[in-house]
Coordinates of all heavy atoms in Angstrom, one line a residue:
Chain O
T27 N -39.1 34.7 50.3 CA -38.4 33.5 50.0 C -36.9 33.6 50.3 O -36.3 32.5 50.6 CB -38.6 33.0 48.5 OG1 -38.2 34.1 47.7 CG2 -40.1 32.7 48.3
D28 N -36.4 34.8 50.3 CA -35.0 34.9 50.7 C -34.7 34.6 52.2 O -33.6 34.2 52.5 CB -34.5 36.4 50.5 CG -34.1 36.7 49.0 OD1 -34.1 35.7 48.2 OD2 -33.8 37.8 48.7
I29 N -35.7 34.8 53.0 CA -35.4 34.6 54.4 C -36.0 33.3 55.0 O -35.9 33.0 56.2 CB -35.9 35.8 55.3 CG1 -37.4 35.8 55.3 CG2 -35.3 37.1 54.8 CD1 -38.0 36.5 56.5
V30 N -36.7 32.5 54.1 CA -37.4 31.3 54.6 C -36.6 30.1 54.2 O -36.1 30.0 53.1 CB -38.8 31.3 54.2 CG1 -38.9 31.0 52.7 CG2 -39.6 30.2 54.9
A31 N -36.5 29.1 55.0 CA -35.9 27.8 54.7 C -37.1 26.8 54.5 O -37.8 26.5 55.5 CB -35.0 27.3 55.8
T32 N -37.4 26.5 53.2 CA -38.6 25.7 53.0 C -38.3 24.2 52.9 O -37.1 23.8 52.8 CB -39.2 26.1 51.6 OG1 -38.2 25.9 50.6 CG2 -39.7 27.5 51.7
N33 N -39.3 23.4 53.1 CA -39.3 21.9 52.9 C -38.2 21.2 53.7 O -37.5 20.4 53.2 CB -39.1 21.6 51.4 CG -40.2 22.1 50.6 OD1 -41.4 22.0 51.0 ND2 -40.0 22.6 49.4
Q34 N -38.1 21.6 54.9 CA -37.2 20.9 55.9 C -37.9 19.6 56.3 O -39.1 19.6 56.4 CB -37.0 21.8 57.1 CG -36.5 23.2 56.8 CD -35.1 23.2 56.3 OE1 -34.2 22.8 56.9 NE2 -35.0 23.7 55.0
T35 N -37.1 18.6 56.4 CA -37.7 17.3 56.8 C -37.5 17.0 58.3 O -36.5 17.5 58.9 CB -37.1 16.1 56.0 OG1 -35.7 16.1 56.3 CG2 -37.3 16.3 54.5
A36 N -38.5 16.3 58.9 CA -38.4 15.9 60.3 C -38.9 14.5 60.4 O -39.9 14.2 59.8 CB -39.2 16.8 61.2
T37 N -38.1 13.7 61.1 CA -38.6 12.3 61.3 C -39.3 12.2 62.6 O -39.3 13.1 63.4 CB -37.4 11.3 61.2 OG1 -36.4 11.7 62.3 CG2 -36.7 11.3 59.9
N38 N -39.9 11.0 62.8 CA -40.7 10.8 64.0 C -39.9 11.1 65.3 O -38.8 10.6 65.5 CB -41.1 9.3 64.1 CG -42.1 9.0 65.2 OD1 -42.8 10.0 65.6 ND2 -42.1 7.8 65.7
G39 N -40.5 12.0 66.1 CA -39.9 12.4 67.4 C -38.8 13.5 67.3 O -38.3 14.0 68.3
E40 N -38.5 13.9 66.1 CA -37.5 14.9 65.9 C -38.0 16.2 66.5 O -39.1 16.6 66.4 CB -37.2 15.1 64.4 CG -35.9 15.8 64.2 CD -35.5 15.8 62.7 OE1 -35.7 14.8 62.0 OE2 -35.0 16.9 62.2
V41 N -37.1 16.9 67.1 CA -37.4 18.1 67.9 C -37.2 19.4 67.2 O -36.0 19.6 66.6 CB -36.7 18.1 69.3 CG1 -36.8 19.4 70.0 CG2 -37.1 17.0 70.2
L42 N -38.1 20.3 67.1 CA -37.9 21.6 66.4 C -37.2 22.5 67.4 O -36.3 23.2 67.0 CB -39.3 22.2 66.0 CG -40.0 21.6 64.8 CD1 -41.2 22.5 64.5 CD2 -39.1 21.6 63.6
Y43 N -37.8 22.6 68.6 CA -37.1 23.4 69.6 C -37.4 22.8 71.0 O -38.4 22.1 71.2 CB -37.5 24.8 69.6 CG -39.0 25.1 69.6 CD1 -39.7 25.1 70.7 CD2 -39.7 25.3 68.4 CE1 -41.1 25.4 70.8 CE2 -41.0 25.6 68.4 CZ -41.7 25.6 69.6 OH -43.1 25.8 69.6
Q44 N -36.6 23.1 72.0 CA -36.7 22.7 73.3 C -37.2 23.8 74.2 O -36.9 24.9 74.0 CB -35.4 22.2 73.9 CG -34.9 20.9 73.2 CD -35.4 19.6 73.9 OE1 -36.3 19.7 74.8 NE2 -34.9 18.5 73.5
Q45 N -38.0 23.4 75.2 CA -38.5 24.3 76.2 C -37.4 25.2 76.8 O -36.3 24.7 77.1 CB -39.1 23.4 77.3 CG -40.1 24.1 78.2 CD -40.8 23.1 79.1 OE1 -40.9 21.9 78.7 NE2 -41.4 23.5 80.2
E46 N -37.7 26.5 76.9 CA -36.8 27.4 77.5 C -35.5 27.7 76.8 O -34.5 28.1 77.4 CB -36.5 27.0 79.0 CG -37.8 27.2 79.9 CD -37.6 26.6 81.2 OE1 -36.5 26.3 81.6 OE2 -38.7 26.6 81.9
Q47 N -35.5 27.4 75.5 CA -34.4 27.9 74.7 C -34.8 29.3 74.2 O -35.9 29.7 74.3 CB -34.3 27.0 73.4 CG -33.6 25.7 73.7 CD -33.5 24.9 72.4 OE1 -34.3 25.1 71.4 NE2 -32.6 23.9 72.4
S48 N -33.8 30.0 73.7 CA -34.2 31.3 73.1 C -35.0 31.0 71.8 O -34.7 30.1 71.1 CB -33.0 32.2 72.8 OG -32.3 31.7 71.6
C49 N -36.0 31.8 71.6 CA -36.9 31.6 70.5 C -36.5 32.4 69.2 O -36.5 33.6 69.2 CB -38.3 32.0 71.0 SG -39.4 32.7 69.8
R50 N -36.1 31.7 68.2 CA -35.6 32.4 67.0 C -36.5 32.2 65.8 O -36.6 33.1 65.0 CB -34.2 31.8 66.7 CG -33.1 32.2 67.6 CD -31.7 31.6 67.1 NE -31.4 32.1 65.8 CZ -30.5 31.5 65.0 NH1 -29.8 30.5 65.4 NH2 -30.3 32.0 63.8
Y51 N -37.1 31.1 65.7 CA -37.8 30.8 64.4 C -39.3 30.7 64.6 O -39.8 30.2 65.7 CB -37.3 29.5 63.8 CG -35.8 29.5 63.5 CD1 -34.9 28.8 64.2 CD2 -35.4 30.2 62.4 CE1 -33.6 28.8 63.9 CE2 -34.1 30.3 62.0 CZ -33.1 29.6 62.8 OH -31.8 29.6 62.4
L52 N -40.0 31.0 63.6 CA -41.4 30.6 63.4 C -41.4 29.5 62.4 O -40.7 29.5 61.4 CB -42.2 31.8 62.8 CG -43.6 31.5 62.5 CD1 -44.4 31.3 63.8 CD2 -44.3 32.7 61.7
Y53 N -42.2 28.4 62.7 CA -42.3 27.3 61.9 C -43.7 27.2 61.2 O -44.7 27.5 61.8 CB -42.0 26.0 62.7 CG -40.7 26.0 63.4 CD1 -40.5 26.6 64.6 CD2 -39.6 25.4 62.7 CE1 -39.3 26.6 65.2 CE2 -38.3 25.5 63.3 CZ -38.2 26.1 64.6 OH -36.9 26.1 65.2
I54 N -43.7 26.7 60.0 CA -44.9 26.4 59.3 C -45.0 25.0 58.9 O -44.1 24.5 58.2 CB -45.0 27.3 58.0 CG1 -44.7 28.8 58.4 CG2 -46.3 27.1 57.3 CD1 -43.9 29.5 57.4
I55 N -46.0 24.3 59.3 CA -46.2 22.9 58.9 C -46.6 22.7 57.5 O -47.6 23.3 57.1 CB -47.2 22.1 59.9 CG1 -47.0 22.5 61.3 CG2 -47.1 20.6 59.7 CD1 -45.6 22.2 61.8
K56 N -46.0 21.9 56.8 CA -46.3 21.7 55.4 C -47.0 20.3 55.2 O -48.0 20.2 54.5 CB -45.1 21.8 54.5 CG -45.4 22.0 53.1 CD -44.2 22.6 52.3 CE -44.5 22.6 50.8 NZ -43.4 23.1 50.0
S57 N -46.4 19.3 55.8 CA -47.1 18.0 55.8 C -46.7 17.2 57.1 O -45.8 17.6 57.7 CB -46.7 17.2 54.6 OG -45.4 16.7 54.7
G58 N -47.5 16.2 57.4 CA -47.3 15.5 58.7 C -47.9 16.3 59.8 O -48.9 17.0 59.6
S59 N -47.4 16.1 61.0 CA -47.9 16.9 62.1 C -46.9 17.0 63.3 O -46.0 16.2 63.3 CB -49.2 16.2 62.6 OG -49.0 14.9 63.0
F60 N -47.2 17.9 64.2 CA -46.3 18.1 65.3 C -47.1 18.2 66.6 O -48.3 18.6 66.5 CB -45.5 19.4 65.1 CG -44.4 19.3 64.1 CD1 -44.7 19.4 62.7 CD2 -43.1 19.1 64.4 CE1 -43.7 19.3 61.7 CE2 -42.1 19.0 63.5 CZ -42.4 19.1 62.1
K61 N -46.4 18.0 67.7 CA -47.0 18.3 69.0 C -46.1 19.3 69.7 O -44.9 19.3 69.5 CB -47.2 17.0 69.8 CG -45.8 16.4 70.2 CD -46.1 15.2 71.2 CE -44.7 14.5 71.6 NZ -44.9 13.4 72.6
T62 N -46.7 20.1 70.5 CA -46.0 21.0 71.4 C -46.3 20.5 72.8 O -47.5 20.2 73.1 CB -46.3 22.5 71.2 OG1 -47.7 22.7 71.2 CG2 -45.7 23.0 70.0
Y63 N -45.3 20.5 73.7 CA -45.6 20.0 75.0 C -44.7 20.6 76.1 O -43.6 21.0 75.8 CB -45.3 18.4 75.0 CG -44.0 18.1 74.4 CD1 -42.9 17.7 75.3 CD2 -43.8 18.0 73.1 CE1 -41.7 17.4 74.8 CE2 -42.5 17.7 72.5 CZ -41.5 17.4 73.4 OH -40.3 17.0 72.9
L64 N -45.2 20.6 77.3 CA -44.5 21.1 78.5 C -44.0 19.8 79.2 O -44.6 18.8 79.3 CB -45.4 21.8 79.5 CG -46.2 23.0 78.9 CD1 -47.2 23.4 79.9 CD2 -45.2 24.1 78.6
T65 N -42.7 19.9 79.7 CA -42.2 18.8 80.5 C -42.1 19.3 81.9 O -41.5 20.3 82.2 CB -40.8 18.4 80.0 OG1 -40.8 18.2 78.6 CG2 -40.3 17.2 80.7
N66 N -42.8 18.5 82.8 CA -42.9 18.9 84.2 C -41.6 18.5 84.9 O -40.8 17.7 84.4 CB -44.1 18.2 84.9 CG -45.4 18.7 84.3 OD1 -45.5 19.9 83.9 ND2 -46.3 17.8 84.1

Side-chain angles (χ1 to χ4, degrees):
Chain O
T27 52
D28 276 357
I29 69 156
V30 68
T32 56
N33 296 322
Q34 309 290 300
T35 59
T37 57
N38 189 27
E40 197 171 322
V41 170
L42 285 188
Y43 53 82
Q44 290 274 8
Q45 200 168 337
E46 288 171 12
Q47 286 180 337
S48 79
C49 145
R50 289 182 55 195
Y51 298 108
L52 176 69
Y53 300 87
I54 306 141
I55 315 299
K56 199 159 168 181
S57 71
S59 56
F60 286 81
K61 65 173 178 179
T62 47
Y63 54 98
L64 303 170
T65 310
N66 297 322

